[in-house]
């Protein structure tokens, strides 16, 4: 049998190792397109140049280009439809993807079919000196949340409780929003957009009613028009802050709430016209009001969840993406893994800033991974790292390490993490000047 050539944008060693363990992987050859540091370790995304270089690499390949895939958010997610169209490979359309990733267009589409499950919202220009009053004219009052029309992770997202908060947040937005808005606008220029959306480009922001509760993510895919949610992951935050503590799979939400979230997911993804690609949808369940809120739609699997599915179900959900790009119906197993529950923990500090002077050694990490079987520790800093210079951080803390663990119960999972975290030794010194 001939091998199938699958090109992965931003392929790194971490993902290559996982991909080569998937079912059927002996029949595949995985090739990287665009160096991983260009999408993982930078705030600079020259997307037009990246697309040009990716196309040149693919055309120079001596063999068939059977599939093009990716697991990252912007810019990788938005590059895929453009590359796949040029090479005739499978993915969803650019317009259906943008109905998920352009936060204003996404809310407009959601309001058409599931309006009772989304917050009040309005778009605003952060460079407009009257932006705050215009937000009020749109029916939003303190507190509310603001974020760019297109962002990555929790970057440049702020809770606004008063005018001073808004002033400080807008200052940050004006300084940094161009890093994503300029390349995102290039992508928008390639799409067929309604005028109401074209008028709200990547330089705009969203203001939304505050929503909250039990947060979770529905992982799913669409294959030939059929929406298939295959797992729900809980997102648990540190007390009293917005920063994530850990992701837990499977969800402990009441089954009727999970069923409703699956139904809402089917409705919105069908309405958008998303097809032949993976996705995940983030929700809140407000337990007090017994109300579900849709937070946002992501046009990819979550890399953070790959190890969780592998530990509990037996296969990383990267299997879904690979099957889809090859035109196959995904076949995710259920509960065939080694553990009953799994989590990805975020080891964080809540400093204003600092410089890292010590990190756990390779020997210390290896000993902890042996002490807690199934554990994977991935440091996000090194000696000399300045916390404020770290990429992909939220606005309130810094993640020093990611820790994936499995256990036989929720209680054992958290207990194991706390015992492990007590043995992870980092040291810091104050930033001078």
């Amino acid at each position: 049998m001939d091998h199938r050539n699958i090109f992965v944008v931003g392929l790194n060693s971490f993902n290559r190792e996982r991909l080569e363990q998937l079912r059927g992987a002996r029949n595949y050859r995985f090739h990287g397109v665009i160096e991983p540091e260009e999408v993982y370790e930078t705030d600079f995304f020259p997307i037009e140049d990246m697309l040009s270089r990716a196309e040149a690499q693919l055309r120079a390949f001596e063999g068939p280009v059977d599939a093009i895939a990716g697991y990252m958010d912007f810019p990788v997610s938005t590059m895929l439809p453009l590359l796949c169209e040029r090479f005739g490979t499978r993915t969803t359309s650019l317009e259906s993807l943008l109905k998920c990733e352009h936060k204003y267009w996404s809310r407009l589409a959601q309001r058409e079919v599931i309006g009772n499950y989304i917050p009040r919202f309005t778009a605003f220009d952060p460079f407009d000196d009257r932006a705050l009053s215009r937000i009020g004219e749109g029916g939003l009052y303190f507190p509310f949340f603001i974020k760019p029309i297109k962002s990555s992770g929790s970057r440049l997202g702020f809770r606004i409780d008063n005018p001073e908060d808004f002033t400080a947040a807008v200052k940050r937005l004006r300084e940094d929003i161009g890093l994503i808005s300029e390349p995102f606008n290039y992508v928008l220029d390639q799409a067929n957009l309604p005028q109401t959306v074209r008028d709200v480009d990547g330089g705009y922001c969203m203001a939304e009613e505050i929503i909250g509760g039990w947060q979770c993510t529905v992982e799913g895919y669409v294959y030939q028009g059929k929406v298939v949610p295959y797992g729900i992951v809980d997102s648990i935050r540190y007390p009293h802050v917005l920063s994530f503590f850990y992701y837990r799979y499977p969800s402990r939400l009441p089954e009727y709430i999970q069923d409703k979230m699956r139904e809402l997911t089917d409705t919105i993804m069908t309405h958008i016209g998303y097809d032949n690609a993976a996705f995940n949808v983030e929700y809140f369940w407000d337990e007090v009001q017994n109300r579900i809120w849709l937070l946002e739609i992501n046009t990819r699997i979550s890399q953070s969840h790959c190890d969780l599915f592998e530990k509990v179900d037996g296969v990383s959900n990267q299997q879904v993406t690979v099957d889809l790009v090859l035109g196959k119906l995904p076949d995710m197993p259920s509960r065939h893994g080694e553990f009953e529950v799994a989590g990805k923990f975020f080891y964080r500090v809540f400093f204003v800033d600092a410089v890292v002077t010590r990190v756990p050694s390779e020997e210390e990490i290896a000993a902890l991974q042996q002490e807690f079987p199934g554990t994977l520790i991935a440091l996000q800093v090194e000696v000399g790292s300045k916390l404020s210079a770290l990429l992909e951080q939220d606005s309130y803390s810094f993640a020093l390490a990611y820790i994936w663990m499995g256990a036989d119960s929720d209680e054992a999972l958290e207990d194991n993490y706390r015992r492990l975290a007590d043995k992870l030794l980092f040291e810091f010194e104050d930033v001078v000047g």
Side-chain angles (χ1 to χ4, degrees):
M1 172 179 180
D2 292 336
H3 292 101
R4 309 296 297 278
N5 294 304
I6 303 173
F7 291 82
V8 182
V9 180
L11 179 63
N12 59 13
S13 58
F14 183 80
N15 276 313
R16 180 183 290 278
E17 182 178 348
R18 290 179 178 277
L19 288 168
E20 291 176 347
Q21 295 173 2
L22 296 178
R23 290 172 301 174
R26 64 184 181 279
N27 299 317
Y28 308 147
R29 289 290 181 267
F30 296 103
H31 310 272
V33 181
I34 301 296
E35 292 301 315
E37 56 267 21
E38 293 191 61
V39 294
Y40 285 93
E41 301 173 9
T42 181
D43 279 328
F44 179 60
F45 304 116
I47 197 165
E48 186 173 4
D49 175 65
M50 293 166 75
L51 282 165
S52 177
R53 286 188 286 117
E55 181 175 358
Q57 179 183 344
L58 290 164
R59 295 205 184 281
F61 181 71
E62 295 182 357
V65 176
D66 296 302
I68 307 171
Y71 298 101
M72 284 288 292
D73 194 359
F74 188 85
V76 173
S77 57
T78 47
M79 290 173 64
L80 290 175
L82 298 170
L83 282 174
C84 289
E85 182 179 27
R86 296 175 189 182
F87 288 87
T89 58
R90 299 169 186 84
T91 193
T92 196
S93 69
L94 177 60
E95 286 74 19
S96 66
L97 180 137
L98 290 173
K99 285 181 185 179
C100 304
E101 296 213 2
H102 187 296
K103 295 186 186 300
Y104 184 62
W105 197 5
S106 189
R107 285 298 192 209
L108 293 177
Q110 294 162 29
R111 189 166 62 186
E112 292 170 353
V113 291
I114 56 170
N116 291 333
Y117 299 92
I118 64 172
R120 289 175 295 155
F121 65 93
T122 188
F124 71 92
D125 180 354
F127 294 92
D128 179 359
D129 291 335
R130 293 195 64 244
L132 184 57
S133 62
R134 296 187 196 279
I135 290 171
E137 292 166 4
L140 279 177
Y141 308 99
F142 300 124
F144 54 85
F145 196 79
I146 64 173
K147 53 191 173 183
I149 286 293
K150 177 60 197 159
S151 61
S152 178
S154 301
R155 185 184 303 174
L156 297 180
F158 303 92
R159 179 187 168 103
I160 306 299
D161 289 297
N162 52 55
E164 292 74 23
D165 287 348
F166 187 78
T167 299
V170 163
K171 182 176 184 295
R172 284 279 309 279
L173 287 162
R174 289 178 176 181
E175 291 171 351
D176 296 338
I177 197 170
L179 293 171
I180 289 185
S181 68
E182 292 180 12
F184 188 57
N185 282 341
Y186 171 80
V187 175
L188 295 180
D189 287 341
Q190 315 308 307
N192 182 19
L193 306 177
Q195 193 61 45
T196 53
V197 174
R198 188 167 295 282
D199 290 342
V200 180
D201 67 14
Y204 274 67
C205 293
M206 291 283 285
E208 294 192 343
E209 176 185 5
I210 295 289
I211 57 177
W214 185 329
Q215 188 171 353
C216 68
T217 301
V218 176
E219 290 274 356
Y221 63 86
V222 188
Y223 177 73
Q224 296 185 359
K226 180 175 176 55
V227 180
V228 181
Y230 57 83
I232 300 181
V233 179
D234 291 331
S235 301
I236 299 166
R237 297 180 185 272
Y238 282 86
H240 312 301
V241 294
L242 291 175
S243 302
F244 287 116
F245 176 26
Y246 73 106
Y247 302 143
R248 177 181 61 200
Y249 179 68
S251 174
R252 303 308 183 198
L253 282 165
E255 196 59 42
Y256 78 96
I257 294 295
Q258 295 191 47
D259 287 343
K260 185 62 180 179
M261 289 178 176
R262 295 185 189 101
E263 176 190 325
L264 293 170
T265 300
D266 189 325
T267 299
I268 186 57
M269 300 311 291
T270 300
H271 179 66
I272 283 173
Y274 196 84
D275 202 5
N276 298 317
F279 66 84
N280 67 72
V281 186
E282 298 178 49
Y283 290 96
F284 285 113
W285 175 46
D286 185 329
E287 299 175 66
V288 176
Q289 300 184 58
N290 193 28
R291 183 168 185 177
I292 294 172
W293 299 101
L294 191 154
L295 176 59
E296 66 180 14
I297 305 170
N298 300 302
T299 56
R300 50 174 173 72
I301 65 163
S302 170
Q303 288 191 84
S304 290
H305 299 164
C306 293
D307 192 73
L308 310 187
F309 281 97
E310 185 171 344
K311 281 178 164 49
V312 176
D313 290 338
V315 175
S316 165
N317 60 335
Q318 288 170 307
Q319 186 78 50
V320 169
T321 298
V322 169
D323 287 345
L324 287 168
V325 296
L326 292 173
K328 299 164 56 178
L329 173 66
D331 180 23
M332 277 293 290
S334 180
R335 310 305 186 261
H336 291 175
E338 182 179 352
F339 299 96
E340 294 295 320
V341 60
K344 176 190 177 180
F345 292 86
F346 297 82
Y347 184 99
R348 297 184 183 276
V349 292
F350 294 83
F351 301 159
V352 173
D353 201 2
V355 174
V356 179
T357 57
R358 184 194 192 278
V359 300
S361 68
E362 291 183 5
E363 293 76 17
E364 290 170 329
I365 290 173
L368 286 170
Q369 291 179 159
Q370 185 173 5
E371 181 180 352
F372 298 92
T375 293
L376 174 64
I377 302 171
L379 299 183
Q380 302 302 301
V381 295
E382 57 188 23
V383 172
S385 294
K386 185 178 180 182
L387 298 183
S388 61
L390 299 177
L391 301 175
E392 295 293 334
Q393 303 296 311
D394 64 33
S395 301
Y396 305 95
S397 68
F398 301 101
L400 306 184
Y402 301 151
I403 301 161
W404 289 267
M405 305 184 78
D408 293 330
S409 69
D410 296 355
E411 294 75 19
L413 183 68
E414 285 204 19
D415 181 64
N416 289 344
Y417 169 73
R418 295 186 194 284
R419 290 194 292 121
L420 182 149
D422 286 342
K423 300 179 181 182
L424 275 181
L425 181 58
F426 293 87
E427 293 178 358
F428 311 89
E429 64 182 21
D430 292 337
V431 174
V432 178

